Amino acid sequence: MIHVFHGFLGSPEDFDFMKRNDVIVHDLYNMASFPAITSEDTLIGYSMGGRIALEIAEANQYNVKKVVLINAHPGLETEEEKINRAQFETTIINELKARSLSDFMDYWNNLPIFFHDAPLKLNDEERFQKSSEIFDKYRLSRQKNHLPAIIQHKEKVLFIVGLFDEKYMDLVSEILIPNEVPVKGIPGGHRLFQQGPELMHVLKEEGIL
Protein backbone atom coordinates (compact mmCIF):
# COMPACT_ATOMS: atom_id res chain seq x y z
CA MET A 1 0.00 0.00 0.00
CA ILE A 2 0.93 3.62 -0.49
CA HIS A 3 0.10 5.84 2.48
CA VAL A 4 -0.22 9.57 1.76
CA PHE A 5 -0.34 12.34 4.37
CA HIS A 6 -1.53 15.83 3.44
CA GLY A 7 -0.33 19.11 4.95
CA PHE A 8 -1.67 21.55 7.53
CA LEU A 9 -5.13 22.95 6.67
CA GLY A 10 -5.25 20.46 3.81
CA SER A 11 -7.43 17.44 3.20
CA PRO A 12 -7.30 14.09 1.39
CA GLU A 13 -8.90 15.82 -1.61
CA ASP A 14 -5.58 17.61 -2.19
CA PHE A 15 -4.27 14.30 -3.52
CA ASP A 16 -7.30 13.20 -5.55
CA PHE A 17 -5.01 12.97 -8.58
CA MET A 18 -3.32 9.97 -6.94
CA LYS A 19 -6.51 7.92 -6.51
CA ARG A 20 -5.79 4.21 -6.98
CA ASN A 21 -6.84 1.04 -5.23
CA ASP A 22 -3.44 0.77 -3.55
CA VAL A 23 -3.34 4.40 -2.33
CA ILE A 24 -4.73 5.55 1.03
CA VAL A 25 -4.74 9.29 1.68
CA HIS A 26 -5.04 9.73 5.44
CA ASP A 27 -6.95 12.64 6.94
CA LEU A 28 -4.73 14.25 9.61
CA TYR A 29 -7.81 15.77 11.23
CA ASN A 30 -9.40 12.37 11.88
CA MET A 31 -6.31 10.21 12.35
CA ALA A 32 -6.41 8.95 15.93
CA SER A 33 -3.14 7.03 15.56
CA PHE A 34 -0.52 6.30 12.95
CA PRO A 35 -1.44 3.51 10.52
CA ALA A 36 0.22 0.12 10.81
CA ILE A 37 2.59 -0.46 7.92
CA THR A 38 4.60 -3.29 6.42
CA SER A 39 7.94 -3.55 4.65
CA GLU A 40 6.09 -3.40 1.32
CA ASP A 41 4.44 -0.05 2.07
CA THR A 42 5.44 3.37 0.77
CA LEU A 43 4.97 6.59 2.75
CA ILE A 44 4.37 9.90 0.96
CA GLY A 45 4.02 13.10 2.94
CA TYR A 46 3.69 16.76 2.06
CA SER A 47 4.97 19.41 4.52
CA MET A 48 3.46 18.53 7.93
CA GLY A 49 2.40 15.21 6.42
CA GLY A 50 6.02 14.55 5.50
CA ARG A 51 7.04 14.97 9.11
CA ILE A 52 4.42 12.38 10.05
CA ALA A 53 5.82 10.03 7.39
CA LEU A 54 9.27 10.46 8.94
CA GLU A 55 7.94 9.64 12.41
CA ILE A 56 6.35 6.46 11.09
CA ALA A 57 9.42 5.44 9.09
CA GLU A 58 11.78 5.88 12.01
CA ALA A 59 9.42 4.13 14.43
CA ASN A 60 9.60 1.16 12.05
CA GLN A 61 13.41 1.36 11.62
CA TYR A 62 12.80 2.31 7.96
CA ASN A 63 11.43 -1.17 7.32
CA VAL A 64 9.40 0.30 4.46
CA LYS A 65 9.62 0.25 0.69
CA LYS A 66 10.07 4.01 0.23
CA VAL A 67 9.65 7.35 1.99
CA VAL A 68 8.76 10.27 -0.27
CA LEU A 69 9.03 13.72 1.28
CA ILE A 70 7.41 16.64 -0.54
CA ASN A 71 8.74 19.95 0.77
CA ALA A 72 8.89 18.44 4.25
CA HIS A 73 11.37 19.53 6.90
CA PRO A 74 13.69 16.78 8.21
CA GLY A 75 13.99 18.43 11.61
CA LEU A 76 15.76 21.29 13.37
CA GLU A 77 19.35 20.80 14.48
CA THR A 78 20.04 23.53 17.03
CA GLU A 79 18.28 24.82 20.12
CA GLU A 80 18.26 28.31 18.63
CA GLU A 81 16.37 27.02 15.59
CA LYS A 82 13.87 25.24 17.83
CA ILE A 83 13.31 28.36 19.98
CA ASN A 84 12.77 30.55 16.91
CA ARG A 85 10.42 28.03 15.38
CA ALA A 86 8.48 27.62 18.64
CA GLN A 87 7.90 31.37 18.74
CA PHE A 88 6.55 31.30 15.19
CA GLU A 89 4.33 28.32 16.01
CA THR A 90 2.90 30.06 19.06
CA THR A 91 2.09 33.08 16.91
CA ILE A 92 0.25 30.87 14.42
CA ILE A 93 -1.74 29.16 17.17
CA ASN A 94 -2.70 32.52 18.66
CA GLU A 95 -3.81 33.76 15.23
CA LEU A 96 -5.84 30.59 14.71
CA LYS A 97 -7.69 31.22 17.96
CA ALA A 98 -8.15 34.96 17.46
CA ARG A 99 -9.18 35.20 13.81
CA SER A 100 -12.21 34.04 11.91
CA LEU A 101 -11.78 31.30 9.32
CA SER A 102 -11.71 33.68 6.35
CA ASP A 103 -9.38 36.15 8.10
CA PHE A 104 -6.95 33.43 9.10
CA MET A 105 -6.89 31.92 5.62
CA ASP A 106 -6.02 35.34 4.18
CA TYR A 107 -3.26 35.66 6.77
CA TRP A 108 -1.95 32.11 6.15
CA ASN A 109 -2.02 32.33 2.35
CA ASN A 110 -0.02 35.55 2.47
CA LEU A 111 2.92 34.05 4.35
CA PRO A 112 6.10 34.39 2.23
CA ILE A 113 6.55 30.63 1.82
CA PHE A 114 3.33 30.45 -0.21
CA PHE A 115 4.19 33.33 -2.56
CA HIS A 116 4.30 31.07 -5.63
CA ASP A 117 1.21 29.04 -4.72
CA ALA A 118 -2.48 29.38 -5.39
CA PRO A 119 -4.41 30.31 -2.21
CA LEU A 120 -5.52 27.38 -0.10
CA LYS A 121 -9.29 27.28 0.42
CA LEU A 122 -11.00 26.06 3.57
CA ASN A 123 -14.73 26.43 4.12
CA ASP A 124 -15.29 23.90 6.89
CA GLU A 125 -15.71 25.72 10.20
CA GLU A 126 -15.52 22.51 12.24
CA ARG A 127 -12.26 21.58 10.55
CA PHE A 128 -10.91 25.06 11.16
CA GLN A 129 -11.72 24.80 14.87
CA LYS A 130 -9.55 21.66 15.08
CA SER A 131 -6.61 23.33 13.36
CA SER A 132 -4.90 24.84 16.41
CA GLU A 133 -4.90 21.41 18.06
CA ILE A 134 -3.44 19.78 14.93
CA PHE A 135 -0.79 22.48 14.51
CA ASP A 136 0.22 22.15 18.16
CA LYS A 137 0.29 18.34 18.01
CA TYR A 138 2.71 18.25 15.08
CA ARG A 139 4.94 21.22 15.91
CA LEU A 140 8.23 21.14 14.01
CA SER A 141 9.96 22.59 17.09
CA ARG A 142 9.11 19.40 19.03
CA GLN A 143 9.98 17.02 16.24
CA LYS A 144 13.06 14.87 16.43
CA ASN A 145 15.81 15.76 13.99
CA HIS A 146 15.36 12.98 11.42
CA LEU A 147 18.28 14.00 9.22
CA PRO A 148 20.73 11.37 10.54
CA ALA A 149 18.20 8.59 9.87
CA ILE A 150 17.39 10.02 6.44
CA ILE A 151 21.09 9.94 5.54
CA GLN A 152 21.53 6.45 6.96
CA HIS A 153 18.58 5.13 4.92
CA LYS A 154 18.92 7.44 1.93
CA GLU A 155 18.44 4.57 -0.54
CA LYS A 156 14.83 4.43 0.68
CA VAL A 157 14.22 8.19 0.61
CA LEU A 158 13.17 10.55 -2.16
CA PHE A 159 12.84 14.29 -1.50
CA ILE A 160 10.73 16.29 -3.95
CA VAL A 161 11.25 20.04 -3.81
CA GLY A 162 9.50 22.98 -5.47
CA LEU A 163 12.03 24.83 -7.59
CA PHE A 164 10.46 28.18 -6.64
CA ASP A 165 10.40 27.40 -2.90
CA GLU A 166 13.51 29.30 -1.82
CA LYS A 167 13.47 28.02 1.76
CA TYR A 168 13.39 24.36 0.78
CA MET A 169 15.74 24.82 -2.16
CA ASP A 170 18.26 26.19 0.35
CA LEU A 171 17.59 23.24 2.69
CA VAL A 172 18.11 20.76 -0.15
CA SER A 173 21.34 22.48 -1.25
CA GLU A 174 22.78 22.76 2.24
CA ILE A 175 21.96 19.43 3.89
CA LEU A 176 20.44 16.89 1.51
CA ILE A 177 22.47 17.04 -1.71
CA PRO A 178 25.83 17.16 0.16
CA ASN A 179 24.77 13.96 1.95
CA GLU A 180 23.71 12.33 -1.33
CA VAL A 181 20.04 12.09 -0.39
CA PRO A 182 18.06 11.63 -3.65
CA VAL A 183 16.30 14.85 -4.66
CA LYS A 184 13.96 15.70 -7.52
CA GLY A 185 12.81 19.24 -8.30
CA ILE A 186 9.64 20.25 -10.12
CA PRO A 187 8.43 23.71 -11.14
CA GLY A 188 6.29 25.03 -8.32
CA GLY A 189 6.27 26.66 -4.92
CA HIS A 190 5.66 25.02 -1.56
CA ARG A 191 2.23 23.48 -2.26
CA LEU A 192 3.42 20.95 -4.80
CA PHE A 193 0.14 19.02 -4.65
CA GLN A 194 -1.12 21.89 -6.80
CA GLN A 195 1.25 20.61 -9.51
CA GLY A 196 -0.49 17.24 -9.83
CA PRO A 197 0.67 16.22 -13.34
CA GLU A 198 4.30 17.13 -12.66
CA LEU A 199 4.23 15.39 -9.28
CA MET A 200 2.69 12.27 -10.82
CA HIS A 201 5.36 12.28 -13.54
CA VAL A 202 8.15 12.20 -10.95
CA LEU A 203 6.43 9.53 -8.85
CA LYS A 204 5.98 7.31 -11.93
CA GLU A 205 9.49 8.02 -13.18
CA GLU A 206 10.90 6.96 -9.81
CA GLY A 207 8.77 3.81 -9.72
CA ILE A 208 6.70 4.97 -6.74
CA LEU A 209 3.39 4.66 -8.61
Side-chain angles (χ1 to χ4, degrees):
M1 294 299 294
I2 299 171
H3 298 268
V4 182
F5 305 91
H6 64 78
F8 179 61
L9 293 174
S11 71
E13 286 72 29
D14 294 339
F15 289 88
D16 275 352
F17 59 88
M18 287 180 61
K19 276 188 175 179
R20 292 188 349 177
N21 290 336
D22 61 345
V23 174
I24 301 172
V25 185
H26 297 273
D27 189 345
L28 270 57
Y29 283 74
N30 296 311
M31 190 171 66
S33 59
F34 291 156
I37 61 167
T38 73
S39 59
E40 296 302 311
D41 290 345
T42 290
L43 306 174
I44 300 177
Y46 157 70
S47 197
M48 178 182 283
R51 304 205 299 269
I52 291 171
L54 284 170
E55 293 284 348
I56 296 170
E58 192 151 346
N60 287 272
Q61 290 86 44
Y62 276 78
N63 188 29
V64 296
K65 187 175 181 180
K66 202 79 172 180
V67 181
V68 181
L69 306 172
I70 305 170
N71 281 341
H73 206 291
L76 303 172
E77 296 188 71
T78 69
E79 284 304 312
E80 182 180 2
E81 288 177 317
K82 291 177 182 178
I83 290 170
N84 290 338
R85 174 68 186 191
Q87 291 173 343
F88 167 76
E89 291 165 342
T90 299
T91 297
I92 295 299
I93 289 172
N94 289 339
E95 295 291 345
L96 278 164
K97 293 177 178 179
R99 293 176 182 253
S100 66
L101 190 161
S102 60
D103 284 348
F104 181 82
M105 294 308 296
D106 286 342
Y107 166 80
W108 182 253
N109 284 318
N110 280 289
L111 291 178
I113 196 169
F114 303 125
F115 180 77
H116 295 283
D117 302 313
L120 191 66
K121 295 180 181 179
L122 178 64
N123 301 310
D124 187 330
E125 185 66 39
E126 183 179 353
R127 202 169 178 85
F128 176 66
Q129 293 302 320
K130 293 181 181 178
S131 293
S132 60
E133 177 185 345
I134 294 293
F135 194 81
D136 186 53
K137 182 177 180 179
Y138 298 116
R139 281 179 181 243
L140 174 58
S141 63
R142 294 178 185 157
Q143 174 186 301
K144 178 180 179 179
N145 179 17
H146 291 283
L147 182 61
I150 290 172
I151 295 169
Q152 180 182 354
H153 300 281
K154 59 190 173 186
E155 76 283 354
K156 291 191 174 183
V157 176
L158 173 65
F159 194 100
I160 303 177
V161 63
L163 296 175
F164 308 144
D165 186 339
E166 295 180 6
K167 176 180 176 180
Y168 280 83
M169 283 296 291
D170 286 346
L171 184 150
V172 160
S173 300
E174 292 169 6
I175 66 175
L176 296 184
I177 291 177
N179 286 295
E180 300 180 331
V181 176
V183 174
K184 286 284 186 176
I186 64 174
H190 188 71
R191 294 171 176 153
L192 286 184
F193 61 87
Q194 295 178 345
Q195 314 302 326
E198 292 83 358
L199 193 53
M200 285 293 286
H201 176 76
V202 169
L203 293 172
K204 290 179 179 179
E205 184 179 59
E206 294 294 317
I208 309 297
L209 293 175

